[in-house]
Amino acid sequence: MTTLVLLRHGQSQWNLEDRFTGWVDVDLSAAGEAEARRGGELIAAAGLEFDRAYASVLTRAIRTADLALAAAGQLWIPLEKSWRLNERHYGGLTGLNKTETAARHGAEQVMIWRRSYDVAPPPLAPGGPFDFSRDRRYAGVEAPATETLKSTLERVRPYWDGDIAPRLAAGERLLIAAHGNSLRAIVKLLFDVSDAAIPGVEIPTGNPLVIELDQAQRPVASRYLDAARAQPLPAA
């Protein structure tokens, strides 16, 4: 067996302000930094060791990886970054206050945009302050104008299949520090969660999810290190 740990970044500055963030490069708040360190302390207490770590190209995920690994005494391991692990793109909702958006469009419609598997928010208009096509970290990438959880999974999958899965197959122990929706996509892939059920899978922030995999990369066991903040998991 080999071990995969998923770690969702903690509170960001825009989480604190109740804003849709998506691909916007927002840093962790002080509370988010504390969550990341606590995740690393839990990893150390569990005696988990890694050969490699992964993160998105967004600061809040990268710093979560760094802070957790430092707290676990493993900051020295290689950290690879990919835009394919980014949070879901929230399209025209990007930057908006969630409460105000619900008041304008209705809470039910906003929940559909946020949590349905294949319904996208309105697309982001080109040329605005959140036009990621001009961000050099996405050079050569056709940045989306909006995404669903389904399309998030579709851009995570090639990176999973081409880089992460082969390393797991080779016996490497991996940490992935990323976002609620990109990690939800990985959980769907690993546990074969149905389209209908996956929007209801919630991954707590800063709480390492430990997944033990067999040689065929099928989950045989899974647990959160902070049992008090655990959420229900798909059957392993």
Side-chain angles (χ1 to χ4, degrees):
M1 291 197 301
T2 191
T3 302
L4 171 68
V5 174
L6 306 181
L7 180 61
R8 181 181 177 185
H9 74 79
Q11 184 187 72
S12 73
Q13 290 294 337
W14 275 20
N15 292 147
L16 187 61
E17 297 171 20
D18 198 31
R19 299 170 72 182
F20 288 100
T21 310
W23 281 33
V24 180
D25 196 13
V26 178
D27 203 351
L28 295 172
S29 67
E33 292 174 347
E35 286 182 87
R37 293 189 188 96
R38 175 59 177 159
E41 291 166 358
L42 290 168
I43 286 167
L48 294 169
E49 296 184 343
F50 304 111
D51 300 297
R52 188 177 306 269
Y54 291 89
S56 73
V57 295
L58 299 174
T59 299
R60 59 193 185 274
I62 297 167
R63 294 198 63 229
T64 293
D66 284 347
L67 289 166
L69 287 170
Q74 299 179 63
L75 188 57
W76 57 273
I77 70 169
L79 174 63
E80 299 187 14
K81 311 176 190 83
S82 173
W83 68 273
R84 291 186 179 276
L85 295 175
N86 277 14
E87 178 59 289
R88 172 189 171 190
H89 191 308
Y90 279 104
L93 302 181
T94 301
L96 300 181
N97 178 275
K98 295 175 183 177
T99 303
E100 293 172 0
T101 303
R104 184 178 303 120
H105 296 283
E108 184 177 352
Q109 178 60 67
V110 172
M111 186 56 64
I112 290 171
W113 284 332
R114 291 184 67 185
R115 281 306 182 94
S116 64
Y117 181 61
D118 57 3
V119 178
L124 184 72
F130 306 127
D131 185 347
F132 304 107
S133 65
R134 299 179 296 181
D135 190 321
R136 70 188 185 98
R137 81 190 80 188
Y138 305 118
V141 175
E142 186 176 351
T146 187
E147 283 186 310
T148 62
L149 177 54
K150 180 181 178 181
S151 59
T152 301
L153 185 150
E154 288 169 351
R155 50 107 161 146
V156 168
R157 187 189 292 270
Y159 192 56
W160 175 269
D161 290 343
D163 194 297
I164 299 174
R167 293 192 183 279
L168 289 168
E172 290 194 24
R173 301 157 298 178
L174 305 180
L175 169 71
I176 302 177
H179 310 265
N181 283 294
S182 52
L183 294 180
R184 190 177 283 119
I186 291 172
V187 167
K188 188 179 193 309
L189 287 173
L190 282 176
F191 291 89
D192 195 25
V193 184
S194 71
D195 296 354
I198 191 60
V201 174
E202 185 66 27
I203 299 172
T205 58
N207 191 355
L209 170 54
V210 182
I211 305 171
E212 303 291 344
L213 303 167
D214 65 17
Q215 289 186 333
Q217 295 178 34
R218 292 184 299 258
V220 296
S222 58
R223 72 189 191 281
Y224 284 105
L225 293 185
D226 184 352
R229 293 198 306 117
Q231 292 287 332
L233 287 166

mmCIF file of all heavy atoms in Angstrom, residues 77-97:
data_model
loop_
_atom_site.group_PDB
_atom_site.id
_atom_site.type_symbol
_atom_site.label_atom_id
_atom_site.label_comp_id
_atom_site.label_asym_id
_atom_site.label_seq_id
_atom_site.Cartn_x
_atom_site.Cartn_y
_atom_site.Cartn_z
ATOM 1 N N ILE A 77 11.099 18.465 1.097
ATOM 2 C CA ILE A 77 10.714 17.563 0.005
ATOM 3 C C ILE A 77 10.299 18.367 -1.227
ATOM 4 O O ILE A 77 9.898 19.524 -1.121
ATOM 5 C CB ILE A 77 9.583 16.592 0.419
ATOM 6 C CG1 ILE A 77 8.256 17.334 0.606
ATOM 7 C CG2 ILE A 77 9.961 15.808 1.662
ATOM 8 C CD1 ILE A 77 7.068 16.416 0.744
ATOM 9 N N PRO A 78 10.385 17.790 -2.432
ATOM 10 C CA PRO A 78 9.994 18.513 -3.648
ATOM 11 C C PRO A 78 8.514 18.898 -3.610
ATOM 12 O O PRO A 78 7.667 18.113 -3.188
ATOM 13 C CB PRO A 78 10.259 17.509 -4.773
ATOM 14 C CG PRO A 78 11.225 16.524 -4.203
ATOM 15 C CD PRO A 78 10.927 16.449 -2.741
ATOM 16 N N LEU A 79 8.225 20.127 -4.064
ATOM 17 C CA LEU A 79 6.852 20.611 -4.187
ATOM 18 C C LEU A 79 6.611 20.991 -5.638
ATOM 19 O O LEU A 79 7.269 21.883 -6.173
ATOM 20 C CB LEU A 79 6.620 21.824 -3.279
ATOM 21 C CG LEU A 79 5.257 22.527 -3.424
ATOM 22 C CD1 LEU A 79 4.121 21.587 -3.047
ATOM 23 C CD2 LEU A 79 5.217 23.804 -2.580
ATOM 24 N N GLU A 80 5.679 20.298 -6.283
ATOM 25 C CA GLU A 80 5.338 20.576 -7.673
ATOM 26 C C GLU A 80 4.014 21.321 -7.719
ATOM 27 O O GLU A 80 3.099 21.029 -6.959
ATOM 28 C CB GLU A 80 5.249 19.271 -8.468
ATOM 29 C CG GLU A 80 6.554 18.506 -8.494
ATOM 30 C CD GLU A 80 6.526 17.305 -9.424
ATOM 31 O OE1 GLU A 80 5.582 17.207 -10.254
ATOM 32 O OE2 GLU A 80 7.433 16.464 -9.322
ATOM 33 N N LYS A 81 3.922 22.291 -8.641
ATOM 34 C CA LYS A 81 2.737 23.134 -8.744
ATOM 35 C C LYS A 81 2.136 23.010 -10.138
ATOM 36 O O LYS A 81 2.862 22.973 -11.124
ATOM 37 C CB LYS A 81 3.099 24.592 -8.461
ATOM 38 C CG LYS A 81 3.915 24.798 -7.192
ATOM 39 C CD LYS A 81 4.316 26.249 -7.035
ATOM 40 C CE LYS A 81 5.320 26.428 -5.912
ATOM 41 N NZ LYS A 81 6.698 26.152 -6.333
ATOM 42 N N SER A 82 0.812 22.977 -10.196
ATOM 43 C CA SER A 82 0.127 22.916 -11.483
ATOM 44 C C SER A 82 -1.193 23.680 -11.413
ATOM 45 O O SER A 82 -1.943 23.558 -10.434
ATOM 46 C CB SER A 82 -0.151 21.466 -11.882
ATOM 47 O OG SER A 82 -0.959 21.417 -13.055
ATOM 48 N N TRP A 83 -1.495 24.417 -12.492
ATOM 49 C CA TRP A 83 -2.770 25.117 -12.585
ATOM 50 C C TRP A 83 -3.938 24.137 -12.613
ATOM 51 O O TRP A 83 -5.069 24.509 -12.264
ATOM 52 C CB TRP A 83 -2.805 25.993 -13.846
ATOM 53 C CG TRP A 83 -2.830 25.193 -15.132
ATOM 54 C CD1 TRP A 83 -1.752 24.714 -15.823
ATOM 55 C CD2 TRP A 83 -3.991 24.774 -15.855
ATOM 56 N NE1 TRP A 83 -2.165 24.019 -16.930
ATOM 57 C CE2 TRP A 83 -3.530 24.042 -16.981
ATOM 58 C CE3 TRP A 83 -5.360 24.932 -15.668
ATOM 59 C CZ2 TRP A 83 -4.409 23.470 -17.905
ATOM 60 C CZ3 TRP A 83 -6.227 24.370 -16.592
ATOM 61 C CH2 TRP A 83 -5.754 23.657 -17.691
ATOM 62 N N ARG A 84 -3.668 22.892 -12.982
ATOM 63 C CA ARG A 84 -4.747 21.897 -13.044
ATOM 64 C C ARG A 84 -5.306 21.558 -11.665
ATOM 65 O O ARG A 84 -6.384 20.968 -11.569
ATOM 66 C CB ARG A 84 -4.271 20.634 -13.757
ATOM 67 C CG ARG A 84 -4.016 20.856 -15.252
ATOM 68 C CD ARG A 84 -3.677 19.572 -15.977
ATOM 69 N NE ARG A 84 -3.464 19.787 -17.397
ATOM 70 C CZ ARG A 84 -4.423 19.839 -18.315
ATOM 71 N NH1 ARG A 84 -5.691 19.660 -17.950
ATOM 72 N NH2 ARG A 84 -4.147 20.045 -19.584
ATOM 73 N N LEU A 85 -4.588 21.932 -10.610
ATOM 74 C CA LEU A 85 -5.080 21.734 -9.244
ATOM 75 C C LEU A 85 -5.749 22.989 -8.684
ATOM 76 O O LEU A 85 -6.127 23.019 -7.508
ATOM 77 C CB LEU A 85 -3.935 21.301 -8.326
ATOM 78 C CG LEU A 85 -3.313 19.933 -8.641
ATOM 79 C CD1 LEU A 85 -2.103 19.681 -7.742
ATOM 80 C CD2 LEU A 85 -4.337 18.807 -8.484
ATOM 81 N N ASN A 86 -5.913 24.020 -9.524
ATOM 82 C CA ASN A 86 -6.574 25.251 -9.076
ATOM 83 C C ASN A 86 -7.990 24.982 -8.591
ATOM 84 O O ASN A 86 -8.629 23.996 -8.965
ATOM 85 C CB ASN A 86 -6.671 26.265 -10.220
ATOM 86 C CG ASN A 86 -5.401 27.080 -10.390
ATOM 87 O OD1 ASN A 86 -4.351 26.748 -9.838
ATOM 88 N ND2 ASN A 86 -5.491 28.133 -11.183
ATOM 89 N N GLU A 87 -8.484 25.932 -7.805
ATOM 90 C CA GLU A 87 -9.896 25.916 -7.437
ATOM 91 C C GLU A 87 -10.756 26.038 -8.686
ATOM 92 O O GLU A 87 -10.283 26.489 -9.749
ATOM 93 C CB GLU A 87 -10.184 27.075 -6.465
ATOM 94 C CG GLU A 87 -11.633 27.239 -6.024
ATOM 95 C CD GLU A 87 -12.211 26.018 -5.336
ATOM 96 O OE1 GLU A 87 -12.444 25.010 -6.033
ATOM 97 O OE2 GLU A 87 -12.453 26.084 -4.114
ATOM 98 N N ARG A 88 -11.984 25.615 -8.573
ATOM 99 C CA ARG A 88 -12.951 25.818 -9.657
ATOM 100 C C ARG A 88 -13.073 27.308 -9.989
ATOM 101 O O ARG A 88 -13.063 28.157 -9.102
ATOM 102 C CB ARG A 88 -14.305 25.270 -9.200
ATOM 103 C CG ARG A 88 -15.458 25.578 -10.121
ATOM 104 C CD ARG A 88 -16.770 25.173 -9.465
ATOM 105 N NE ARG A 88 -17.900 25.646 -10.230
ATOM 106 C CZ ARG A 88 -19.147 25.608 -9.803
ATOM 107 N NH1 ARG A 88 -19.418 25.118 -8.610
ATOM 108 N NH2 ARG A 88 -20.126 26.047 -10.571
ATOM 109 N N HIS A 89 -13.166 27.623 -11.271
ATOM 110 C CA HIS A 89 -13.340 28.994 -11.749
ATOM 111 C C HIS A 89 -14.816 29.378 -11.584
ATOM 112 O O HIS A 89 -15.696 28.704 -12.123
ATOM 113 C CB HIS A 89 -12.922 29.055 -13.223
ATOM 114 C CG HIS A 89 -12.800 30.441 -13.773
ATOM 115 N ND1 HIS A 89 -13.788 31.382 -13.673
ATOM 116 C CD2 HIS A 89 -11.794 31.036 -14.470
ATOM 117 C CE1 HIS A 89 -13.407 32.487 -14.269
ATOM 118 N NE2 HIS A 89 -12.201 32.316 -14.759
ATOM 119 N N TYR A 90 -15.072 30.456 -10.856
ATOM 120 C CA TYR A 90 -16.452 30.846 -10.579
ATOM 121 C C TYR A 90 -17.030 31.836 -11.588
ATOM 122 O O TYR A 90 -18.090 32.430 -11.345
ATOM 123 C CB TYR A 90 -16.568 31.391 -9.159
ATOM 124 C CG TYR A 90 -16.667 30.286 -8.136
ATOM 125 C CD1 TYR A 90 -15.575 29.951 -7.343
ATOM 126 C CD2 TYR A 90 -17.843 29.549 -7.981
ATOM 127 C CE1 TYR A 90 -15.655 28.916 -6.416
ATOM 128 C CE2 TYR A 90 -17.928 28.521 -7.063
ATOM 129 C CZ TYR A 90 -16.836 28.208 -6.280
ATOM 130 O OH TYR A 90 -16.922 27.174 -5.379
ATOM 131 N N GLY A 91 -16.367 32.023 -12.720
ATOM 132 C CA GLY A 91 -16.929 32.819 -13.795
ATOM 133 C C GLY A 91 -17.286 34.228 -13.359
ATOM 134 O O GLY A 91 -16.525 34.900 -12.659
ATOM 135 N N GLY A 92 -18.498 34.656 -13.756
ATOM 136 C CA GLY A 92 -18.932 36.010 -13.447
ATOM 137 C C GLY A 92 -19.209 36.263 -11.990
ATOM 138 O O GLY A 92 -19.418 37.421 -11.589
ATOM 139 N N LEU A 93 -19.210 35.231 -11.158
ATOM 140 C CA LEU A 93 -19.368 35.416 -9.708
ATOM 141 C C LEU A 93 -18.070 35.840 -9.048
ATOM 142 O O LEU A 93 -18.072 36.307 -7.901
ATOM 143 C CB LEU A 93 -19.861 34.117 -9.058
ATOM 144 C CG LEU A 93 -21.186 33.528 -9.558
ATOM 145 C CD1 LEU A 93 -21.520 32.266 -8.770
ATOM 146 C CD2 LEU A 93 -22.315 34.539 -9.476
ATOM 147 N N THR A 94 -16.947 35.702 -9.746
ATOM 148 C CA THR A 94 -15.632 35.975 -9.159
ATOM 149 C C THR A 94 -15.574 37.376 -8.561
ATOM 150 O O THR A 94 -15.902 38.372 -9.210
ATOM 151 C CB THR A 94 -14.532 35.835 -10.233
ATOM 152 O OG1 THR A 94 -14.566 34.505 -10.764
ATOM 153 C CG2 THR A 94 -13.161 36.116 -9.647
ATOM 154 N N GLY A 95 -15.169 37.439 -7.307
ATOM 155 C CA GLY A 95 -15.015 38.712 -6.615
ATOM 156 C C GLY A 95 -16.259 39.211 -5.925
ATOM 157 O O GLY A 95 -16.189 40.146 -5.110
ATOM 158 N N LEU A 96 -17.427 38.616 -6.219
ATOM 159 C CA LEU A 96 -18.674 39.079 -5.629
ATOM 160 C C LEU A 96 -18.839 38.566 -4.205
ATOM 161 O O LEU A 96 -18.366 37.493 -3.854
ATOM 162 C CB LEU A 96 -19.866 38.625 -6.471
ATOM 163 C CG LEU A 96 -19.917 39.098 -7.925
ATOM 164 C CD1 LEU A 96 -21.191 38.574 -8.595
ATOM 165 C CD2 LEU A 96 -19.852 40.620 -8.015
ATOM 166 N N ASN A 97 -19.535 39.342 -3.397
ATOM 167 C CA ASN A 97 -19.877 38.915 -2.050
ATOM 168 C C ASN A 97 -20.968 37.854 -2.128
ATOM 169 O O ASN A 97 -21.981 38.037 -2.813
ATOM 170 C CB ASN A 97 -20.352 40.126 -1.235
ATOM 171 C CG ASN A 97 -20.785 39.754 0.167
ATOM 172 O OD1 ASN A 97 -21.920 39.360 0.383
ATOM 173 N ND2 ASN A 97 -19.867 39.881 1.107
#
